Amino acid sequence: QKEVEQDPGPLSVPEGAIVSLNCTYSNSAFQYFMWYRQYSRKGPELLMYTYSSGNKEDGRFTAQVDKSSKYISLFIRDSQPSDSATYLCAMLSLSGTYKYIFGTGTRLKVLA
Amino acid sequence: NAGVTQTPKFRILKIGQSMTLQCAQDMNHNYMYWYRQDPGMGLKLIYYSVGAGITDKGEVPNGYNVSRSTTEDFPLRLELAAPSQTSVYFCASTASRDTGELFFGEGSRLTVL
């Protein structure tokens, strides 16, 4: 079983839609949860960062972490064509090894 | 601001050749990472370093070697290149896991024929 599972998509939505992206994980030691956005032929960039369980909101983006279910989500409200990218979830444990483990990424296309 | 700089951006290798992918960061970050990204496979950790002189294996280290003689540089060496090493390679760095932010380079696209 992979440590982190993510639906690869692709996911196509109309402009203005609410997008939900999800990851599941198996390692209960993960405490740091991140979402990175990667545009085509570019390196990933940090979008959201959450420590432990709970919600975090930043503009049109909301990250949720449910540690009891080992499930994290990223919601994008009022999606825009500029949101078209690959979204990667990433996780880090408190064990001190500093290994960031990434999901496979979900390709999102927002249609104008 | 340079951030994380990777060279070369593109390279074609023949089977059995060797090469080094260069990575340099100017942010004084202690933690540096090498990932490879294959289509639909996300980022796989090859090697990482928590400081000069300290390196450790990631998920897919076979066929690669690293060294970290300075804080700034973290080169990745491919020995005896194989077609399975065709991929996009990303170097990343971070100052601390408290921010969760890995800073990535633009990537090095390698093809082994």
Side-chain angles (χ1 to χ4, degrees):
Chain A
Q1 182 185 9
K2 289 182 182 179
E3 280 193 288
V4 179
E5 301 269 8
Q6 185 176 5
D7 187 336
L11 183 63
S12 290
V13 300
E15 183 175 357
I18 296 175
V19 176
S20 172
L21 304 169
N22 311 293
C23 286
T24 59
Y25 63 95
S26 58
N27 187 349
S28 58
F30 288 140
Q31 291 281 2
Y32 296 84
F33 304 93
M34 293 144 276
W35 287 95
Y36 283 79
R37 179 174 60 195
Q38 184 179 23
Y39 290 113
S40 181
R41 296 185 174 269
K42 295 290 186 182
E45 296 175 307
L46 182 67
L47 193 60
M48 297 286 285
Y49 167 83
T50 308
Y51 172 69
S52 196
S53 287
N55 293 358
K56 187 173 184 179
E57 188 172 319
D58 184 2
R60 296 184 294 109
F61 299 89
T62 300
Q64 286 186 351
V65 175
D66 181 349
K67 291 192 68 182
S68 62
S69 301
K70 296 190 177 67
Y71 189 87
I72 71 170
S73 300
L74 177 70
F75 297 96
I76 307 174
R77 291 183 297 280
D78 187 25
S79 55
Q80 302 296 309
S82 58
D83 295 328
S84 298
T86 295
Y87 292 81
L88 300 121
C89 62
M91 306 184 188
L92 181 65
S93 77
L94 286 177
S95 67
T97 59
Y98 282 81
K99 291 184 185 180
Y100 290 75
I101 305 299
F102 283 80
T104 54
T106 299
R107 275 199 301 140
L108 172 67
K109 187 165 187 177
V110 181
L111 305 171
Chain B
N1 293 334
V4 178
T5 303
Q6 289 184 237
T7 55
K9 288 186 168 47
F10 302 94
R11 182 74 185 266
I12 298 175
L13 279 181
K14 293 182 180 178
I15 294 172
Q17 287 185 321
S18 300
M19 75 160 298
T20 299
L21 299 177
Q22 301 291 343
C23 175
Q25 51 91 9
D26 62 357
M27 298 171 283
N28 202 32
H29 287 170
N30 282 327
Y31 308 98
M32 296 188 74
Y33 304 80
W34 273 107
Y35 288 90
R36 59 176 288 173
Q37 186 174 38
D38 301 312
M41 299 298 289
L43 292 164
K44 294 294 184 185
L45 181 63
I46 305 171
Y47 272 95
Y48 68 105
S49 169
V50 299
I54 307 169
T55 63
D56 206 350
K57 297 177 181 178
E59 303 166 275
V60 290
N62 291 343
Y64 307 94
N65 277 301
V66 293
S67 60
R68 183 94 182 273
S69 56
T70 67
T71 299
E72 294 77 22
D73 300 299
F74 191 40
L76 178 71
R77 177 87 177 155
L78 281 72
E79 305 282 2
L80 299 174
S84 61
Q85 293 178 304
T86 294
S87 189
V88 181
Y89 292 83
F90 287 101
C91 179
S93 72
T94 186
S96 165
R97 70 182 179 190
D98 290 343
T99 66
E101 184 159 18
L102 279 175
F103 292 84
F104 283 85
E106 294 277 289
S108 296
R109 190 173 296 268
L110 175 68
T111 302
V112 182
L113 301 174

